DNA sequence: CATGAATGAGTCTTCATTCAT
DNA sequence: AATGAATGAAGACTCATTCAT
C-alpha cells in the first residue's frame, strides 16, 4: 500500500499532455479511483480523507473524480460496494460447493470466513470502515447485512441443524446464535485492526485452535477424540 | 444529554459574578466537557466532530474547552482515558476477588467482560472509537493494550493453566490464544455496533449460550454433563 | 425549448456517418446554440449559467460550443447581437414607412416600441440582460445605444419637431428628452421583468392609456378633444 | 465607492493583532459588511462576486462574514433589505406630510420618487440588482412590491382620484395604471444604469420636463396655462 | 465537425484555534 | 475562568476550457 504514486503512475503523469494516456484507461478510471480511495479512507477515515489525495494516488486530478462520482459520500459508498462484491460473490460460490459431513463443512466454511474477515487485509479494513462509519452510512450496513452477514448466519444455522439431525453435533442452543461460530474470526479481525503491528499473530494456528475450541470446548472430557490441532499441524 | 445549556448552567453564566456556583462547577467542568465530547465523538467520529458542538453540549463555549485542554486531539485522548479508567479499575478489582473452581471463575470473568465490552454502551462505543481511530491515535491503542487487553489475556491464560493443572480443563492449545475466550463478547460488541437497532439481541442469553459453547464445544459427546443453558433457564 | 435532444438531432448523432443530415444542420448549429444560450442566460444570469447546460439545451455537447465560439463571453455577446438584430432591422424598416400626421405616426411608433420592449418576451429579457451585465459588457451597451436607442430617440425628436412645426404638437421642451415618450414602454418592461407573474397586466390597455397620457397630460382642459381611450375601446 | 480599502481601514488591518480593533466595531460589523457587499454586488453581480472581496472591502477576512451571515445568499438578501429600509421609511414618512392641491402634491411626490429611483445611486443600483436577480430571489421582489411599489402606486391612485374629484385633474383612465406617473423616473433610472457615463443627463431638468409632459401632454391646446419649464428656468 | 474525458484555477464554506475583554 | 469575535488554513465541489480521438 504505497503512499506515493507508483512509478508507473508517476510516469504516466509526467508524460504530460499525452492524450493517449487519458483514453487508454478511460474504462479503468473508476476502479482505480476506488482502489485509491480505499487506501486513503482506511488510513485516515472518511472525514479526514482529502479527495485530492485520493486523486493523486489514482494518478488523476481532483476534477476527474467528479467525472465519475457524485461526491465524496458516493465515492465512499461505491468503494465499499466495489470491494465488498468479490467477497459476496465468493460467499455465494462457496454456498454452492456442498460438503460431506457437517464437521467437515463447518471447518471449511470457517476457514473461508477467516480468510475473508481476518486474513485478507481488504476484508479486514472494510470491516473497520463499516464499524467506524456505521452511523454515517447506515445503508452500507444494511447492505452488508443483507448480502453477507445474513446469508452467512443462515448457512451456519442450517449447517448446525443438519449436523444435529445427523447426530454429529449436539443439539445445543447455539442454534439461537449461529454467529457465535464467527466470533473467533471476528475477534481476530479486531485484534489485527488494533494491534496488528504490535502483536504478530500466526493466523493459521489461530484458526486451528479456534476450531478445536468450537468443536470440543474447554472442559475435560472422559475421552478426547476430535481434532487435536496442537499435534496435527 | 441536553443540547442546550441547562437552566442551572445558564443561571451561572447569566448571573455573572455569582462566585459560589461558579467555583462549585469549576472543578467539574473538565469532566462535563469530556462527557459531552464522548457523545459527539461517538456520533460523528473524531474528524467530523466540531468542538463547538462539544462545548454546546457541555453547556460552555468554545473558548472554555481551551482552558482545560490543549487542542482537539487532547480532548479526544483525555476523553478516552477518562472513560476507560473506571473499566480498568474494575478489571483490576475483579482480579483481586479470587474464585474457587476454574469454570466458576471463568464464567464470572466472562460475564464481567461481557458487561464491559458489549452490554455497557460506554464500553461498546469506546471500542468503536478505538477501532476507527487506531491509526490516528496509536498511543491510545498502546494504553488500551497495556491497561486492559494485556492484563485480561494474561489473567485468562493463568486461569486456563490453573484449570488444566486442576484437571478441570483439558490441556488444549488454547493456551496459545486465551483471547479466544473473549471472542463471543467481542463479536457481540461488533454486532451491537453495527446492527444494534436492526437486530435486537437478548444479551443475557447470548452470554449463556456462548459460555456453553466455550465450555462444551459443538461435538456430540458420549455423555453430556456441563451447563445446558437452553434447558436450565 | 427542448431540454433533451430532439429525435431528429439524436438521429443525427446516432447515425454517425450520415452526411446529409449532418451538413444540413451544421449551418444551423450556431443559431441553435445561441437560442439555447438565451434561455439559460435569462434564467440564471451570465455568471451562473453553465455552458454545459446551454449545450444540452441545444442538443450538442460542451465541446461543440467551442467549435463555433471563442468562449463563454463570446457566446453571450453573439447571443445578444443575434437576438437584437431582428429588432434593429424592424426598427429601420419602420423608419422607412413614413406616416401622415405626427400624432398618427407617434402612436404607431410607440406601439411598435411597446411591442419590442414590453410585449415581446425576447426584447424584454434582452433588456434584463443588458441592465444586469452592463458593467461586464460595456461594448454591448454601446452597440445597443448605437443601433437602437440612439436612432429611436433621434427619430422621436425629429417627429416631435415636425409635429411642432405643423402645429400639431405644442413646442414644449420635451425636445430635450424625447426618450420620455419611451418611458411608459420601459416602465411596463420593468414591471413585467419584476412582477410579471404576480401582476398580470393588460398590455393593450396599458398602451392606450399611456398614449392618452402622453398626448393629453393629466390636467383638466377647457375642452377635451384628443383620444379618450377609456371610451373608444 | 472605493475599490480598495480606505486608508482608515487599511490602517486598522495593518495594526495587526491589536484586539481593540476587533471589539471596537463589533456592533458595526454587519452594517459594514453589507455596505461592502453592496458595492461588490453592484459591480459584479451576485454570482460573480467573491465573498472574499466583500470581506476585504469591509476590512475583515472571509471567515468574519460567516460570523454574521449564513451564506452568500443571506448576505445578498440582508444587503438589499438593509439598503431598502431607509427608502421604505422615507416613503412612509412622505405619505404623512399632506399637501394642498393635487398638482402640487404630485409634483412633490414625483420629485421624491425621482430622488429615490434615479438620482440616488443607491436606489438606482438596488433596482439593477432586483431586475438582474429577480429569478434567483423572488422573495426580495415580493418584499419590494409589498413595501414600496405597492404603497406608492396606491398613493398615486388615491391622489389622482382626489384631484379628479376636486376638478384639478381630468377624469382619464390613468386611474387604471397610476404607475404610469412613475415611468419617467423609472425610465431615467434605466438610462442611468445603462448609459450613465456615456450620456451625462441633467436630472433636474429631466424631472421638470417630465412633470410638464405628464401634466400637459403633448398636444397643442387652445391656451397653454400650466408649467412651461423650458421658458421658466 | 463533434465528442467528452480530463484538467485545475477558483469559490464557498467550515472550524480549530487565538486572544482581548 | 469564561467568552465569543475574528482568523485563515483547508477542503469539497464547480465549471470554463482543452485536446486526443
Amino acid at each position: 500500500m504505497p503512499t506515493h504514486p507508483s512509478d508507473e503512475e508517476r510516469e504516466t503523469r509526467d508524460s504530460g499532455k499525452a492524450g493517449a494516456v487519458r483514453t487508454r484507461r478511460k474504462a479503468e478510471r473508476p476502479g482505480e479511483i476506488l482502489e485509491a480511495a480505499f487506501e486513503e479512507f482506511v488510513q485516515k477515515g472518511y472525514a479526514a480523507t482529502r479527495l485530492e489525495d485520493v486523486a493523486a494516488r489514482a494518478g488523476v486530478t481532483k476534477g476527474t473524480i467528479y467525472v465519475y462520482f457524485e461526491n465524496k459520500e458516493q465515492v465512499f459508498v461505491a468503494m465499499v460496494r466495489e470491494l465488498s462484491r468479490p467477497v459476496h460473490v465468493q460467499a455465494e460460490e462457496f454456498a454452492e460447493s456442498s460438503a460431506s459431513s457437517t464437521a467437515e463443512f463447518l471447518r471449511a466454511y470457517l476457514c473461508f470466513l477467516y480468510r475473508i474477515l481476518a486474513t485478507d487485509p481488504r476484508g479486514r479494513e472494510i470491516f473497520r470502515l463499516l464499524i467506524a462509519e456505521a452511523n454515517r452510512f447506515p445503508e452500507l450496513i444494511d447492505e452488508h447485512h443483507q448480502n453477507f452477514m445474513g446469508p452467512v448466519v443462515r448457512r451456519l444455522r442450517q449447517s448446525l441443524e443438519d449436523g444435529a439431525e445427523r447426530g454429529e453435533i449436539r443439539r445445543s442452543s447455539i442454534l439461537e446464535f449461529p454467529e457465535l461460530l464467527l466470533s473467533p474470526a471476528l475477534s481476530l479481525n479486531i485484534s489485527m485492526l488494533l494491534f496488528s503491528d504490535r502483536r504478530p499473530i500466526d493466523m493459521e494456528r489461530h484458526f486451528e485452535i479456534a476450531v478445536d475450541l468450537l468443536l470440543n470446548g474447554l472442559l475435560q472430557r472422559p475421552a478426547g477424540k476430535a481434532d487435536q490441532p496442537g499435534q496435527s499441524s
Side-chain angles (χ1 to χ4, degrees), chain A residues 44-60:
Chain A
K44 310 246 188 69
Y46 174 77
T49 290
R50 295 154 21 96
L51 237 31
E52 188 154 18
D53 289 344
V54 172
R57 191 188 280 269
V60 297

Side-chain angles (χ1 to χ4, degrees), chain A residues 59-102:
Chain A
V60 297
T61 57
K62 258 180 327 189
T64 306
I65 292 184
Y66 290 90
V67 172
Y68 298 101
F69 303 96
E70 191 106 0
N71 52 31
K72 193 179 172 183
E73 284 199 4
Q74 291 312 307
V75 172
F76 186 82
V77 169
M79 179 274 285
V80 171
R81 283 186 184 136
E82 171 87 350
L83 298 220
S84 298
R85 198 178 12 192
V87 171
H88 300 165
V89 169
Q90 284 176 50
E92 295 230 356
E93 286 174 1
F94 195 96
E96 310 295 295
S97 69
S98 65
S100 47
S101 78
T102 300

Side-chain angles (χ1 to χ4, degrees), chain A residues 98-108 159 162-163 166 168-169:
Chain A
S98 65
S100 47
S101 78
T102 300
E104 216 168 301
F105 169 81
L106 273 183
R107 185 177 227 285
S159 174
D162 291 354
R166 290 190 224 166
E168 296 175 17
I169 279 178

Side-chain angles (χ1 to χ4, degrees), chain A residues 1-226:
Chain A
M1 37 187 95
T3 303
H4 299 294
S6 72
D7 287 352
E8 186 199 10
E9 282 157 357
R10 178 164 294 271
E11 185 184 343
T12 42
R13 283 202 293 163
D14 285 349
S15 65
K17 320 284 173 218
V21 180
R22 277 222 291 265
T23 49
R24 176 168 62 80
R25 301 211 279 191
K26 195 163 22 182
E28 303 159 18
R29 281 273 184 258
E32 290 170 354
I33 290 168
L34 296 181
E35 200 64 46
F38 169 72
E39 309 272 6
E40 293 290 326
F41 281 133
V42 161
Q43 208 157 87
K44 310 246 188 69
Y46 174 77
T49 290
R50 295 154 21 96
L51 237 31
E52 188 154 18
D53 289 344
V54 172
R57 191 188 280 269
V60 297
T61 57
K62 258 180 327 189
T64 306
I65 292 184
Y66 290 90
V67 172
Y68 298 101
F69 303 96
E70 191 106 0
N71 52 31
K72 193 179 172 183
E73 284 199 4
Q74 291 312 307
V75 172
F76 186 82
V77 169
M79 179 274 285
V80 171
R81 283 186 184 136
E82 171 87 350
L83 298 220
S84 298
R85 198 178 12 192
V87 171
H88 300 165
V89 169
Q90 284 176 50
E92 295 230 356
E93 286 174 1
F94 195 96
E96 310 295 295
S97 69
S98 65
S100 47
S101 78
T102 300
E104 216 168 301
F105 169 81
L106 273 183
R107 185 177 227 285
Y109 200 37
L110 292 183
C111 179
F112 164 74
L113 292 169
Y114 252 75
R115 212 171 48 245
I116 299 294
L117 292 174
T119 310
D120 175 35
R122 281 290 178 73
R124 211 151 66 201
E125 296 293 351
I126 287 287
F127 225 80
R128 186 209 298 274
L129 290 172
L130 287 178
I131 292 169
E133 312 294 345
N135 288 330
R136 198 194 295 260
F137 297 98
E139 77 271 27
L140 285 182
I141 305 297
D142 288 337
E143 290 176 29
H144 179 260
H145 191 276
Q146 186 141 37
N147 296 328
F148 183 75
M149 215 45 119
V152 162
V153 170
R154 268 197 299 282
R155 183 136 204 94
L156 286 173
R157 174 177 288 119
Q158 183 61 51
S159 174
L160 288 172
E161 279 172 357
D162 291 354
E165 219 142 276
R166 290 190 224 166
E168 296 175 17
I169 279 178
R170 69 193 177 89
R171 189 171 285 284
S172 77
S173 28
I174 196 182
L175 283 166
E176 296 176 34
F177 294 108
E179 59 265 45
L180 275 172
L181 298 188
L182 276 175
S183 63
L186 270 180
S187 179
L188 178 55
N189 177 318
I190 303 300
S191 278
M192 293 298 294
L193 288 178
L194 290 182
F195 311 121
S196 60
D197 35 0
R198 267 154 280 229
R199 311 264 114 183
I201 292 181
D202 179 343
M203 290 187 285
E204 274 305 326
R205 187 124 185 89
H206 189 279
F207 170 68
E208 293 299 341
I209 293 174
V211 168
D212 175 41
L213 176 65
L214 291 174
L215 293 183
N216 299 315
L218 288 172
L219 295 188
Q220 194 59 271
R221 294 144 163 266
K225 45 186 180 182

